[in-house]
DNA sequence: TTTTCTTGCTAACGAACGTTAGCAATGGTA
DNA sequence: TACCATTGCTAACGTTCGTTAGCAAGAAAA
């Protein structure tokens, strides 16, 4: 097979991602997935070992992308912290919007991973969140960010970002870069009218 | 039966809420639910008509609570808009934290409602979000809130709030009122250091 | 006392589930 | 040409699913 841009395995991952997002992992049957691919249920197992393996790949691939983006965004530590934070926010939004379906699965379906994958996944997520938290802590300590409770603030910050896959649709009015910019502004400046 | 504080039906709803939150609606079996209640699977059907009926009650009960809270918070239209918004935020957080499990189900499991309930639910949610959006629009028009794109801002605002059930645990360091206050501050003032 | 409501049981139904075994066609590679 | 990886099929497996029928015990209501 030369014509296909994606290997059959990648097609399976992609189609499964869309279905997992729309119906949830548990409510998506292998027969539904097969139908969406235009083949029979048993045929899928020529390419994968189990249903959960698909979920595993989706979740950990996204985790890799979030980490790589964050590293890239924050590696220049001569930048003001607010700028690093802005870059990290933009990177997060970029990963989210590059594959909304996969992001939604990453955010909501990881609980259906069985051990030990589930624990590994949660450790990665915690590590990633710690990166944001540390940015806010550094900013608060050096007086460049206003964050009386950096741990709390980082939760709220990631919350605003992670809700994005529930409403973002590619090709909409706002491009991903616009969204990232507005989100960063709103989170940094707030809704209150500025006096100065 | 006189001794029970909750009717058996309410016990079923409550136990199901916890399980639906932890495992998801589709991945929770009636036999699991029965075991958690200390009875047999078939016995549940002396009290309910179907599994989905439980989900339906949970989702629409929460919707009622969100609406009631919002009405109460915003009925006084002599208040400055920022104050109304703050009160609406506090109400939302109060409903979320009063029953975290039910809130998580409300936020994530409604997709497993079948038609027409699913459409009805989404209409209610949209109506509720429109309430917040209108507050921001009014605030922006009267110059009391800084929101260049009120629709976008209201999405971000609700995002920050709705992520709460993923990490909030009753009895933690922060009381619900504290959380509401901090959230409102962070959303209104932002993370940037204020010059004035 | 008779009736009715609540609560629960056992046993089973048909359907759907994830997965496997065994076989076959195709097309690139040696 | 011979080989082999890819891809797919049919048929079936054992399990679990939501749900129902029929029956029964106890408490409350008439």
């Amino acid at each position: 097979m030369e014509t296909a841009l994606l290997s059959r395995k990648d097609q399976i991952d992609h189609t499964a991602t869309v279905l997992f997002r729309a119906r949830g992992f548990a409510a998506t049957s292998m027969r539904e997935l097969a139908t969406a691919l235009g083949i029979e249920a048993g045929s899928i197992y020529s390419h994968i070992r189990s249903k959960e393996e698909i979920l595993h790949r989706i979740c950990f691939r996204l985790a890799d992308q979030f980490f790589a983006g964050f590293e890239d965004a924050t590696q220049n530590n001569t930048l003001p912290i607010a700028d690093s934070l802005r870059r990290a926010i933009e990177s997060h939004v970029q990963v989210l919007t590059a594959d909304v379906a996969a992001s939604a699965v990453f955010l909501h379906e990881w609980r259906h991973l069985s051990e030990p994958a589930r624990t590994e996944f949660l450790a990665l997520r915690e590590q990633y969140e710690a990166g944001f938290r540390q940015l806010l802590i550094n900013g608060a300590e050096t007086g460049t960010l206003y964050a009386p409770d950096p741990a709390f603030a980082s939760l709220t910050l990631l919350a605003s970002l992670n809700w994005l896959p529930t409403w973002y649709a590619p090709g909409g009015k706002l491009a991903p870069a616009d969204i990232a910019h507005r989100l960063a502004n709103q989170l940094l400046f707030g809704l209150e009218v500025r006096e100065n």
Side-chain angles (χ1 to χ4, degrees), chain A residues 7-48:
Chain A
S7 73
R8 205 45 159 159
K9 192 171 180 177
D10 289 340
Q11 289 179 42
I12 291 171
D13 282 3
H14 178 258
T15 305
T17 302
V18 174
L19 288 176
F20 289 172
R21 186 229 188 146
R23 304 199 197 293
F25 175 78
T28 302
S29 74
M30 296 303 279
R31 285 167 178 85
E32 275 181 296
L33 175 55
T35 301
L37 287 162
I39 60 179
E40 293 299 316
S43 308
I44 299 178
Y45 287 85
S46 299
H47 308 277
I48 64 158

Side-chain angles (χ1 to χ4, degrees), chain A residues 45 50 56 82 136-137 173 178:
Chain A
Y45 287 85
S50 70
H56 189 283
L136 293 189
I137 291 172
K173 192 181 63 173
D178 295 331

Side-chain angles (χ1 to χ4, degrees), chain A residues 27-91:
Chain A
T28 302
S29 74
M30 296 303 279
R31 285 167 178 85
E32 275 181 296
L33 175 55
T35 301
L37 287 162
I39 60 179
E40 293 299 316
S43 308
I44 299 178
Y45 287 85
S46 299
H47 308 277
I48 64 158
R49 266 191 292 268
S50 70
K51 185 187 179 188
E52 186 178 333
E53 193 195 74
I54 306 175
L55 180 63
H56 189 283
R57 262 200 305 278
I58 299 171
C59 289
F60 283 81
R61 182 173 60 81
L62 260 284
D64 283 349
Q65 292 181 15
F66 280 117
F67 270 111
F70 187 87
E71 294 298 317
D72 187 59
T74 60
Q75 63 185 353
N76 181 352
N77 50 15
T78 66
L79 248 48
I81 301 223
D83 289 2
S84 283
L85 179 58
R86 186 179 283 275
R87 285 169 56 89
I89 290 172
E90 284 164 356
S91 162

Side-chain angles (χ1 to χ4, degrees), chain A residues 69-192:
Chain A
F70 187 87
E71 294 298 317
D72 187 59
T74 60
Q75 63 185 353
N76 181 352
N77 50 15
T78 66
L79 248 48
I81 301 223
D83 289 2
S84 283
L85 179 58
R86 186 179 283 275
R87 285 169 56 89
I89 290 172
E90 284 164 356
S91 162
H92 192 89
V93 171
Q94 199 262 316
V95 174
L96 283 180
T97 52
D99 191 341
V100 217
S103 298
V105 173
F106 170 88
L107 290 168
H108 298 300
E109 304 299 325
W110 57 265
R111 326 177 256 164
H112 297 108
L113 292 170
S114 52
E115 298 296 348
R118 186 186 154 114
T119 298
E120 285 170 25
F121 177 88
L122 285 175
L124 284 178
R125 197 183 69 167
E126 163 54 28
Q127 191 183 333
Y128 182 72
E129 291 181 2
F132 274 87
R133 195 161 54 238
Q134 197 56 52
L135 274 182
L136 293 189
I137 291 172
N138 292 345
E141 280 175 355
T142 57
T144 55
L145 286 180
Y146 174 74
D149 185 342
F152 184 86
S154 64
L155 279 172
T156 306
L157 182 134
L158 281 166
S160 309
L161 304 183
N162 286 338
W163 202 253
L164 212 156
T166 61
W167 61 266
Y168 172 76
K173 192 181 63 173
L174 294 175
D178 295 331
I179 293 174
H181 190 249
R182 290 183 188 217
L183 271 170
N185 279 344
Q186 185 169 336
L187 290 165
L188 285 167
F189 299 146
L191 295 167
E192 191 83 81

